[in-house]
Amino acid sequence: MTATSCSSSSSSSSSMAAPLQYEATPHLSVNTSSPPCDTTSPEDTQIISNQIISDDPALWPKAIDDNARCQIVRKGPLQITDMDFPQNTENPPWRFTKDNYKMTMRNGEKIQRSWLMYSVSTDTVFCFSCTLFGKCDSALSSSGYCAWNNLDHHLKEHEYSNMHCENMRSWHDLQKRLQTRTTIDQTHQNLLQIEIEHWKGVIRRVISIICHLAESNQALRGPSNVLYDHHNGNFLSLVELMAQYDPVLSEHIRRIQNKETKVHYLSGIIQNEIITLVGDKTLEEIVRRVTKAKYFSVIMDCTPDISHKEQLSIVLRIVNCEPSVGVSIAEHFIGFIDIEDTTGRGLTETLLEHLQNHNLNISDCRGQSYDNGSNMMGQKQGVQSRILQNCKALCVPCSSHTLNLVVADAAKSSVLAISFFGVLQRLYNLFSSSVQRWAILKEHVKQLSLKPLSTTRWEACIESVKAVRYQLPQILKALSALQTFAVEKRDSETMSTANALHDELKSWHFLLCTMIWYNVLYQVNLVSKLLQSPDVSLETIKTETQGVRQCLENLRDSGLASCQSDAVEIAEELEIEMELPEKRQRKAAKHYQHEGAAETQSSPEESFKREFFLPLVDTALRSLNDRFSKMEDVYVLYSFLFSKKSMQQVLKSGKIRASCKNLEQTMHDIEADDLELEINSAVYTFPDHASTCPHDMLNYIYSENLLDLYSNLSIALRLLLTLPVSVASGERSFSALKLIKTYLRSTMCQERLTGLALISIERDVRRSLDMEDIVAAFAEAKQQF
């Protein structure tokens, strides 16, 4: 090829129609009046001449044809300057620098070597023109040159050689003709460019359809892979629908029907490749954001999937800081891992290996949060203790799980407390066991439906109690109607169960238990829902748990009377006798005549308070204090940064130096003396609207570009905000897992599962990606040089 020609006489019309490699996929048919159209056979894997070429010269094809040469000239040479070039193994070590891109003249002026390119993959340099036109025997045009200690001399020798000058003229001549469209085969080039844009358009639409279905957690394939078949699945159905209105897909299907092309990019194999590619690109963007944020925390949890595989979900929490913009907290899902060893050691090794594979340094991990399982939270063999051996990641137990355990402890505080939730579960089981019974319930209970109890779902208890608290009269009517229905059906078991539950629900002690439990669960549920947000930080846990503790203490002092007054209104409406059942008191046997009389019998109200109310509240308080006591060390470390008021109190007490020193010695990320000076300045200069919480203070520093004034304070606040407070993000990933891997898709491979999960859970990150980069990456993945 000369500088005046850009022909490709050997390219056929079919090769122009597909700028990417043929796909070796199963048979695809079109269910129309025309004959079916086959895909390419596995051995038909020839390379289409017009490929998307890499920017790395070491990855260019050995035999560059005319179309590839034109494409490379259009893009031009890429000179990398924003990387840390690696050193070689010589003594002393040498390496390539960005100064080598310039030629220094005798008078000191520097002229750019536009032809010099650096290869990241091979750590060598190439001559753009000589590599492209292949008329030079130098290493700069074949394998690349990497003798850095002799680079300047070799470059000067090469750039004045006759072959290099001839190749440079050919390059600039071809570049000029391509820009002015005066090449000999310009008509062919125009047609080829049209075909390139057509196939790029097809790939864009295929990727968009796959991402749309993945974000909605819908299945892509069906029993059939035939176009215009009723059972071909969601993906092909959407292709058919878009083809009715989109000219690109309409033309694509027309070519498949008329056998004008064997390339269709609609098969299941291509779907898997695109899912993996988009998932990898999404993960790369997440890793880039985590690396930019520097500090991160790990949130990790396990659950079995529908195919009985243990899936480990890993979520990373970071603080995004943008000068002049502000601060945002994000928790990013980075994948599911199929694990077999669920011990603390196995989980730790899996986590460290996964982070290393994505070039994330565990030494930058500053926090970790798990559920309360022994393999996670064990003090000696748990994941948290093993991670602490590798970094300074403080462990924060999941606050929502902890609150759920507080409720579970309170529910086991007495026999009456245990039986109360047993009644609620029996009530739900009775009505949900048949369609006719549920219809009777819905006929009478219009608003809140009965809910089953759950040991894992945090809001199950409050939802179950709430339905009874506000709809007890309607539920009693439904039970009466169910008794009548059971008599008509001669169902003695249902009639007996409904009658027993009716009597139980229409008792004064059950009504009191309902009011008490609702007041307790309402406060706990408010805090639990608040702590599930990614924006919540450590100071919120302390504030809200103190609020729950205060509410429980107030309930213990005067809450029983308040609950009784609320219960009286419902009791009067239902004509319930407001008396607690009396229990026969055990009398102590007299062994001697001189012993005193038996103790005075306590009233039913006092027995109820002593046997149910006080054990419930006291158990909840004790469990709350015990389970959140693990947070005290973290509170002591960071509490002086919770607000400007906290800083002022520490300054006033004279403990600011000790607090800063403690943080420096524990985390080793700040200078204690400088932090003390910055806090002294911040308490006087920070406005009131930016002083109520760590997030507002850090956001003020970055949005107002005050990083140079509060550098250590900003680092301390970032460390504080990086700490996670719950594993709610991991639990949400399990919700997506159940929607993606259903019993109809139980044989899904792990790679496809992770790709679909990344697209679904991290949809905002995926939508921020450049579609052209994904198309180019797909094209490069289909090349085989």
mmCIF file of all heavy atoms in Angstrom, residues 58-92:
data_model
loop_
_atom_site.group_PDB
_atom_site.id
_atom_site.type_symbol
_atom_site.label_atom_id
_atom_site.label_comp_id
_atom_site.label_asym_id
_atom_site.label_seq_id
_atom_site.Cartn_x
_atom_site.Cartn_y
_atom_site.Cartn_z
ATOM 1 N N ALA A 58 2.045 -2.724 20.470
ATOM 2 C CA ALA A 58 2.458 -4.119 20.604
ATOM 3 C C ALA A 58 1.304 -5.071 20.348
ATOM 4 O O ALA A 58 1.539 -6.261 20.091
ATOM 5 C CB ALA A 58 3.037 -4.359 21.999
ATOM 6 N N LEU A 59 0.061 -4.591 20.428
ATOM 7 C CA LEU A 59 -1.109 -5.426 20.216
ATOM 8 C C LEU A 59 -1.660 -5.306 18.793
ATOM 9 O O LEU A 59 -2.716 -5.857 18.503
ATOM 10 C CB LEU A 59 -2.206 -5.058 21.231
ATOM 11 C CG LEU A 59 -1.819 -5.194 22.705
ATOM 12 C CD1 LEU A 59 -2.983 -4.782 23.600
ATOM 13 C CD2 LEU A 59 -1.381 -6.610 23.019
ATOM 14 N N TRP A 60 -0.987 -4.557 17.929
ATOM 15 C CA TRP A 60 -1.426 -4.471 16.542
ATOM 16 C C TRP A 60 -1.192 -5.816 15.843
ATOM 17 O O TRP A 60 -0.280 -6.575 16.225
ATOM 18 C CB TRP A 60 -0.645 -3.383 15.806
ATOM 19 C CG TRP A 60 -1.012 -1.990 16.248
ATOM 20 C CD1 TRP A 60 -1.981 -1.635 17.120
ATOM 21 C CD2 TRP A 60 -0.367 -0.782 15.847
ATOM 22 N NE1 TRP A 60 -2.011 -0.281 17.303
ATOM 23 C CE2 TRP A 60 -1.029 0.287 16.520
ATOM 24 C CE3 TRP A 60 0.688 -0.469 14.993
ATOM 25 C CZ2 TRP A 60 -0.660 1.611 16.362
ATOM 26 C CZ3 TRP A 60 1.050 0.859 14.818
ATOM 27 C CH2 TRP A 60 0.386 1.888 15.491
ATOM 28 N N PRO A 61 -1.985 -6.137 14.830
ATOM 29 C CA PRO A 61 -1.758 -7.389 14.088
ATOM 30 C C PRO A 61 -0.414 -7.371 13.374
ATOM 31 O O PRO A 61 0.088 -6.319 12.967
ATOM 32 C CB PRO A 61 -2.926 -7.427 13.108
ATOM 33 C CG PRO A 61 -3.385 -6.015 12.988
ATOM 34 C CD PRO A 61 -3.136 -5.381 14.312
ATOM 35 N N LYS A 62 0.163 -8.542 13.238
ATOM 36 C CA LYS A 62 1.469 -8.623 12.585
ATOM 37 C C LYS A 62 1.374 -8.228 11.120
ATOM 38 O O LYS A 62 2.271 -7.580 10.577
ATOM 39 C CB LYS A 62 2.019 -10.043 12.723
ATOM 40 C CG LYS A 62 2.337 -10.439 14.163
ATOM 41 C CD LYS A 62 2.891 -11.847 14.234
ATOM 42 C CE LYS A 62 3.218 -12.225 15.688
ATOM 43 N NZ LYS A 62 3.749 -13.613 15.793
ATOM 44 N N ALA A 63 0.272 -8.652 10.478
ATOM 45 C CA ALA A 63 0.050 -8.279 9.078
ATOM 46 C C ALA A 63 -1.066 -7.246 9.038
ATOM 47 O O ALA A 63 -2.241 -7.584 9.178
ATOM 48 C CB ALA A 63 -0.299 -9.504 8.244
ATOM 49 N N ILE A 64 -0.692 -5.986 8.855
ATOM 50 C CA ILE A 64 -1.677 -4.901 8.855
ATOM 51 C C ILE A 64 -2.185 -4.704 7.442
ATOM 52 O O ILE A 64 -1.415 -4.379 6.525
ATOM 53 C CB ILE A 64 -1.049 -3.602 9.392
ATOM 54 C CG1 ILE A 64 -0.498 -3.814 10.801
ATOM 55 C CG2 ILE A 64 -2.060 -2.477 9.386
ATOM 56 C CD1 ILE A 64 0.202 -2.601 11.371
ATOM 57 N N ASP A 65 -3.496 -4.923 7.241
ATOM 58 C CA ASP A 65 -4.059 -4.738 5.904
ATOM 59 C C ASP A 65 -4.428 -3.268 5.701
ATOM 60 O O ASP A 65 -4.238 -2.419 6.566
ATOM 61 C CB ASP A 65 -5.256 -5.657 5.681
ATOM 62 C CG ASP A 65 -6.359 -5.422 6.696
ATOM 63 O OD1 ASP A 65 -6.386 -4.342 7.312
ATOM 64 O OD2 ASP A 65 -7.201 -6.327 6.880
ATOM 65 N N ASP A 66 -4.988 -2.978 4.515
ATOM 66 C CA ASP A 66 -5.264 -1.587 4.156
ATOM 67 C C ASP A 66 -6.300 -0.948 5.076
ATOM 68 O O ASP A 66 -6.150 0.207 5.492
ATOM 69 C CB ASP A 66 -5.746 -1.516 2.691
ATOM 70 C CG ASP A 66 -4.639 -1.906 1.730
ATOM 71 O OD1 ASP A 66 -3.470 -1.906 2.158
ATOM 72 O OD2 ASP A 66 -4.943 -2.218 0.566
ATOM 73 N N ASN A 67 -7.359 -1.707 5.375
ATOM 74 C CA ASN A 67 -8.420 -1.126 6.207
ATOM 75 C C ASN A 67 -7.918 -0.834 7.619
ATOM 76 O O ASN A 67 -8.223 0.205 8.203
ATOM 77 C CB ASN A 67 -9.612 -2.083 6.261
ATOM 78 C CG ASN A 67 -10.324 -2.189 4.932
ATOM 79 O OD1 ASN A 67 -10.386 -1.220 4.186
ATOM 80 N ND2 ASN A 67 -10.841 -3.374 4.626
ATOM 81 N N ALA A 68 -7.152 -1.774 8.187
ATOM 82 C CA ALA A 68 -6.598 -1.547 9.524
ATOM 83 C C ALA A 68 -5.640 -0.370 9.523
ATOM 84 O O ALA A 68 -5.614 0.440 10.456
ATOM 85 C CB ALA A 68 -5.894 -2.812 10.014
ATOM 86 N N ARG A 69 -4.838 -0.238 8.459
ATOM 87 C CA ARG A 69 -3.882 0.870 8.372
ATOM 88 C C ARG A 69 -4.613 2.208 8.315
ATOM 89 O O ARG A 69 -4.211 3.179 8.978
ATOM 90 C CB ARG A 69 -2.995 0.680 7.148
ATOM 91 C CG ARG A 69 -1.862 1.692 7.055
ATOM 92 C CD ARG A 69 -0.930 1.368 5.898
ATOM 93 N NE ARG A 69 -0.145 0.168 6.161
ATOM 94 C CZ ARG A 69 -0.299 -0.981 5.517
ATOM 95 N NH1 ARG A 69 -1.235 -1.095 4.574
ATOM 96 N NH2 ARG A 69 0.445 -2.028 5.820
ATOM 97 N N CYS A 70 -5.683 2.262 7.573
ATOM 98 C CA CYS A 70 -6.463 3.503 7.505
ATOM 99 C C CYS A 70 -7.071 3.847 8.856
ATOM 100 O O CYS A 70 -7.100 5.015 9.267
ATOM 101 C CB CYS A 70 -7.562 3.374 6.450
ATOM 102 S SG CYS A 70 -6.944 3.303 4.752
ATOM 103 N N GLN A 71 -7.558 2.836 9.544
ATOM 104 C CA GLN A 71 -8.155 3.087 10.857
ATOM 105 C C GLN A 71 -7.114 3.595 11.850
ATOM 106 O O GLN A 71 -7.362 4.516 12.626
ATOM 107 C CB GLN A 71 -8.795 1.804 11.389
ATOM 108 C CG GLN A 71 -9.461 1.970 12.739
ATOM 109 C CD GLN A 71 -10.085 0.687 13.246
ATOM 110 O OE1 GLN A 71 -10.211 -0.258 12.496
ATOM 111 N NE2 GLN A 71 -10.456 0.666 14.495
ATOM 112 N N ILE A 72 -5.901 3.009 11.818
ATOM 113 C CA ILE A 72 -4.840 3.432 12.737
ATOM 114 C C ILE A 72 -4.408 4.860 12.420
ATOM 115 O O ILE A 72 -4.190 5.671 13.331
ATOM 116 C CB ILE A 72 -3.649 2.466 12.648
ATOM 117 C CG1 ILE A 72 -4.045 1.080 13.174
ATOM 118 C CG2 ILE A 72 -2.461 3.001 13.434
ATOM 119 C CD1 ILE A 72 -2.971 0.019 12.969
ATOM 120 N N VAL A 73 -4.318 5.199 11.156
ATOM 121 C CA VAL A 73 -3.908 6.556 10.784
ATOM 122 C C VAL A 73 -4.962 7.562 11.200
ATOM 123 O O VAL A 73 -4.641 8.682 11.645
ATOM 124 C CB VAL A 73 -3.624 6.618 9.264
ATOM 125 C CG1 VAL A 73 -3.443 8.057 8.811
ATOM 126 C CG2 VAL A 73 -2.393 5.794 8.923
ATOM 127 N N ARG A 74 -6.234 7.212 11.081
ATOM 128 C CA ARG A 74 -7.287 8.129 11.529
ATOM 129 C C ARG A 74 -7.173 8.420 13.022
ATOM 130 O O ARG A 74 -7.366 9.548 13.461
ATOM 131 C CB ARG A 74 -8.660 7.537 11.218
ATOM 132 C CG ARG A 74 -9.050 7.572 9.751
ATOM 133 C CD ARG A 74 -10.524 7.228 9.586
ATOM 134 N NE ARG A 74 -10.909 7.199 8.186
ATOM 135 C CZ ARG A 74 -10.972 6.096 7.447
ATOM 136 N NH1 ARG A 74 -10.670 4.926 8.001
ATOM 137 N NH2 ARG A 74 -11.331 6.159 6.185
ATOM 138 N N LYS A 75 -6.885 7.397 13.796
ATOM 139 C CA LYS A 75 -6.766 7.595 15.247
ATOM 140 C C LYS A 75 -5.487 8.319 15.617
ATOM 141 O O LYS A 75 -5.465 9.116 16.570
ATOM 142 C CB LYS A 75 -6.820 6.240 15.961
ATOM 143 C CG LYS A 75 -8.165 5.555 15.847
ATOM 144 C CD LYS A 75 -8.123 4.148 16.416
ATOM 145 C CE LYS A 75 -7.871 4.135 17.892
ATOM 146 N NZ LYS A 75 -7.919 2.771 18.460
ATOM 147 N N GLY A 76 -4.396 8.054 14.886
ATOM 148 C CA GLY A 76 -3.128 8.689 15.176
ATOM 149 C C GLY A 76 -2.420 8.030 16.352
ATOM 150 O O GLY A 76 -2.986 7.205 17.073
ATOM 151 N N PRO A 77 -1.165 8.379 16.592
ATOM 152 C CA PRO A 77 -0.400 7.774 17.695
ATOM 153 C C PRO A 77 -0.849 8.327 19.047
ATOM 154 O O PRO A 77 -1.120 9.520 19.190
ATOM 155 C CB PRO A 77 1.044 8.183 17.384
ATOM 156 C CG PRO A 77 0.929 9.446 16.603
ATOM 157 C CD PRO A 77 -0.338 9.321 15.800
ATOM 158 N N LEU A 78 -0.921 7.446 20.048
ATOM 159 C CA LEU A 78 -1.258 7.834 21.423
ATOM 160 C C LEU A 78 0.012 7.806 22.257
ATOM 161 O O LEU A 78 0.664 6.766 22.381
ATOM 162 C CB LEU A 78 -2.288 6.878 22.018
ATOM 163 C CG LEU A 78 -2.630 7.103 23.489
ATOM 164 C CD1 LEU A 78 -3.320 8.449 23.678
ATOM 165 C CD2 LEU A 78 -3.511 5.980 24.022
ATOM 166 N N GLN A 79 0.368 8.958 22.824
ATOM 167 C CA GLN A 79 1.556 9.058 23.666
ATOM 168 C C GLN A 79 1.135 9.129 25.129
ATOM 169 O O GLN A 79 0.494 10.090 25.557
ATOM 170 C CB GLN A 79 2.389 10.282 23.285
ATOM 171 C CG GLN A 79 2.997 10.170 21.895
ATOM 172 C CD GLN A 79 3.923 11.339 21.562
ATOM 173 O OE1 GLN A 79 3.766 12.441 22.091
ATOM 174 N NE2 GLN A 79 4.883 11.093 20.676
ATOM 175 N N ILE A 80 1.485 8.104 25.896
ATOM 176 C CA ILE A 80 1.086 8.002 27.305
ATOM 177 C C ILE A 80 2.041 8.827 28.156
ATOM 178 O O ILE A 80 3.268 8.651 28.093
ATOM 179 C CB ILE A 80 1.104 6.533 27.752
ATOM 180 C CG1 ILE A 80 0.122 5.718 26.908
ATOM 181 C CG2 ILE A 80 0.780 6.411 29.232
ATOM 182 C CD1 ILE A 80 0.185 4.236 27.169
ATOM 183 N N THR A 81 1.479 9.725 28.961
ATOM 184 C CA THR A 81 2.303 10.588 29.825
ATOM 185 C C THR A 81 1.883 10.553 31.287
ATOM 186 O O THR A 81 2.623 11.025 32.146
ATOM 187 C CB THR A 81 2.228 12.045 29.331
ATOM 188 O OG1 THR A 81 0.857 12.481 29.358
ATOM 189 C CG2 THR A 81 2.784 12.166 27.918
ATOM 190 N N ASP A 82 0.707 10.013 31.578
ATOM 191 C CA ASP A 82 0.161 10.115 32.939
ATOM 192 C C ASP A 82 0.277 8.811 33.714
ATOM 193 O O ASP A 82 -0.638 8.406 34.407
ATOM 194 C CB ASP A 82 -1.308 10.536 32.888
ATOM 195 C CG ASP A 82 -2.144 9.590 32.047
ATOM 196 O OD1 ASP A 82 -1.551 8.759 31.339
ATOM 197 O OD2 ASP A 82 -3.382 9.693 32.106
ATOM 198 N N MET A 83 1.403 8.131 33.572
ATOM 199 C CA MET A 83 1.591 6.892 34.320
ATOM 200 C C MET A 83 3.012 6.839 34.894
ATOM 201 O O MET A 83 3.904 7.555 34.433
ATOM 202 C CB MET A 83 1.319 5.670 33.437
ATOM 203 C CG MET A 83 2.369 5.409 32.377
ATOM 204 S SD MET A 83 2.212 3.797 31.594
ATOM 205 C CE MET A 83 2.786 2.721 32.906
ATOM 206 N N ASP A 84 3.187 5.997 35.885
ATOM 207 C CA ASP A 84 4.488 5.779 36.494
ATOM 208 C C ASP A 84 5.174 4.642 35.743
ATOM 209 O O ASP A 84 4.862 3.478 35.938
ATOM 210 C CB ASP A 84 4.326 5.434 37.979
ATOM 211 C CG ASP A 84 5.657 5.365 38.704
ATOM 212 O OD1 ASP A 84 6.653 5.820 38.120
ATOM 213 O OD2 ASP A 84 5.691 4.847 39.837
ATOM 214 N N PHE A 85 6.092 4.998 34.848
ATOM 215 C CA PHE A 85 6.723 4.002 33.995
ATOM 216 C C PHE A 85 7.597 3.067 34.833
ATOM 217 O O PHE A 85 8.346 3.518 35.712
ATOM 218 C CB PHE A 85 7.570 4.682 32.918
ATOM 219 C CG PHE A 85 6.779 5.533 31.982
ATOM 220 C CD1 PHE A 85 6.720 6.902 32.144
ATOM 221 C CD2 PHE A 85 6.058 4.963 30.944
ATOM 222 C CE1 PHE A 85 5.989 7.701 31.288
ATOM 223 C CE2 PHE A 85 5.322 5.741 30.077
ATOM 224 C CZ PHE A 85 5.277 7.117 30.250
ATOM 225 N N PRO A 86 7.534 1.757 34.600
ATOM 226 C CA PRO A 86 8.291 0.802 35.428
ATOM 227 C C PRO A 86 9.790 0.841 35.138
ATOM 228 O O PRO A 86 10.224 1.177 34.031
ATOM 229 C CB PRO A 86 7.684 -0.552 35.038
ATOM 230 C CG PRO A 86 7.178 -0.338 33.648
ATOM 231 C CD PRO A 86 6.716 1.083 33.586
ATOM 232 N N GLN A 87 10.586 0.472 36.144
ATOM 233 C CA GLN A 87 12.036 0.388 35.997
ATOM 234 C C GLN A 87 12.436 -1.021 35.568
ATOM 235 O O GLN A 87 11.747 -1.994 35.869
ATOM 236 C CB GLN A 87 12.728 0.743 37.313
ATOM 237 C CG GLN A 87 12.506 2.174 37.770
ATOM 238 C CD GLN A 87 13.194 2.461 39.098
ATOM 239 O OE1 GLN A 87 13.519 1.549 39.840
ATOM 240 N NE2 GLN A 87 13.416 3.738 39.385
ATOM 241 N N ASN A 88 13.594 -1.105 34.869
ATOM 242 C CA ASN A 88 14.091 -2.429 34.489
ATOM 243 C C ASN A 88 14.940 -3.015 35.620
ATOM 244 O O ASN A 88 15.085 -2.408 36.686
ATOM 245 C CB ASN A 88 14.878 -2.361 33.177
ATOM 246 C CG ASN A 88 16.057 -1.392 33.274
ATOM 247 O OD1 ASN A 88 16.519 -1.054 34.357
ATOM 248 N ND2 ASN A 88 16.542 -0.943 32.116
ATOM 249 N N THR A 89 15.493 -4.168 35.378
ATOM 250 C CA THR A 89 16.217 -4.893 36.431
ATOM 251 C C THR A 89 17.718 -4.619 36.424
ATOM 252 O O THR A 89 18.476 -5.276 37.140
ATOM 253 C CB THR A 89 15.983 -6.405 36.256
ATOM 254 O OG1 THR A 89 16.397 -6.800 34.947
ATOM 255 C CG2 THR A 89 14.503 -6.741 36.444
ATOM 256 N N GLU A 90 18.168 -3.675 35.623
ATOM 257 C CA GLU A 90 19.593 -3.385 35.562
ATOM 258 C C GLU A 90 20.041 -2.661 36.822
ATOM 259 O O GLU A 90 19.232 -2.157 37.606
ATOM 260 C CB GLU A 90 19.906 -2.543 34.322
ATOM 261 C CG GLU A 90 19.607 -3.259 33.010
ATOM 262 C CD GLU A 90 19.963 -2.381 31.822
ATOM 263 O OE1 GLU A 90 20.533 -1.291 32.035
ATOM 264 O OE2 GLU A 90 19.657 -2.780 30.688
ATOM 265 N N ASN A 91 21.339 -2.597 37.017
ATOM 266 C CA ASN A 91 21.914 -1.913 38.174
ATOM 267 C C ASN A 91 22.887 -0.833 37.673
ATOM 268 O O ASN A 91 23.953 -1.146 37.145
ATOM 269 C CB ASN A 91 22.635 -2.910 39.071
ATOM 270 C CG ASN A 91 23.047 -2.287 40.386
ATOM 271 O OD1 ASN A 91 22.583 -1.197 40.734
ATOM 272 N ND2 ASN A 91 23.934 -2.962 41.105
ATOM 273 N N PRO A 92 22.570 0.450 37.754
ATOM 274 C CA PRO A 92 21.331 0.991 38.343
ATOM 275 C C PRO A 92 20.152 0.822 37.390
ATOM 276 O O PRO A 92 20.357 0.693 36.185
ATOM 277 C CB PRO A 92 21.671 2.470 38.542
ATOM 278 C CG PRO A 92 22.667 2.752 37.458
ATOM 279 C CD PRO A 92 23.495 1.511 37.318
#
